[in-house]
Amino acid sequence: MSCLYIVATPIGNLDDITLRAIQVLKDADVVAAEDTRHSRSLLDHFGITSRLVSYRDHNEAASTQGLLTLMAEGQTVALVSDAGTPLISDPGYRLVQAALASGIQVVPIPGASAVIAALSVSGMATDRFSFEGFLPAKRVARQSYLQQLSQESQTLVFYEAPHRIREALLDIAEVLGEDRRVTLARELTKRFEQVWNGPVSEAIAHIGSKHIPERGEFVLLVA
Ligand code: SAM
């Protein structure tokens, strides 16, 4: 019986890959990836020639079975996602569950994750935080979700798409109050990296301007 590696990859800057990640990906019989084309260019960059197979949300059940069979035959599988740590708002949960249930050893190869990178530079309390993933896309659901979080005292961390960041800020101001402090961690580790801190009312005033462009990838933190 072989093992399953859960391998973190960079969230932007390719130099953030770890030495161990490169070695594990080189040694793996199969690399299971969310988007094989995207991961091919990462593997090419590091001269890794391992076989790539697709592992996505919509084929998770079928490809979980396929990967379990490979591991039962003794092949080593490494799971990667498009960026950062697999399973963190990315596919892999079903595969890890199934591997554990089959007695397969699951080994983490830690590295970048946007939630941790953002927290580490936010200036917000990090002794307790709640990672909330993506907020609901629809306004009513988003507001009621925020309402449920309104009494939480730990730092809240969200992933958000650039075309929804303004709506998220407007709802935070409405539900949690205009003075609530937020951090917008944008394009971390990339060329246009930006970490903006201030009250949500000010973030709303700046979003979409040159001060906070509505472009790129965002982590949104709420004090
Ligand atoms: N598995 C990834 C991780 O460990 O961070 C997250 C994958 S999730 C599908 C993608 C979201 O992560 C983006 O919409 C954004 O909120 C956040 N994200 C990823 N890379 C980022 C970066 N370089 N800067 C800021 N946020 C990022």
Side-chain angles (χ1 to χ4, degrees), residues 2-4 20 28 32 40 45 54 59 78 82 84 113 162 173 199 218 222:
S2 175
C3 76
L4 170 65
R20 192 162 169 236
R40 178 84 277 157
H45 181 86
S54 164
N59 72 1
D82 285 355
S113 188
F218 283 88
V222 179

Side-chain angles (χ1 to χ4, degrees), residues 146-166:
L146 287 167
Q147 191 63 51
Q148 286 171 39
L149 294 173
S150 61
Q151 298 308 311
E152 298 288 354
S153 57
Q154 72 269 40
T155 301
L156 304 174
V157 189
F158 302 95
Y159 283 166
E160 196 50 280
H163 62 278
R164 276 206 283 268
I165 197 83
R166 180 190 298 272

Side-chain angles (χ1 to χ4, degrees), residues 11 83 85 88-90 113-114 134 159-160 187-188 217-219:
I11 56 169
T85 302
I88 307 303
S89 293
D90 266 338
S113 188
F134 287 92
Y159 283 166
E160 196 50 280
E187 293 286 271
L188 293 172
E217 299 196 276
F218 283 88
V219 181

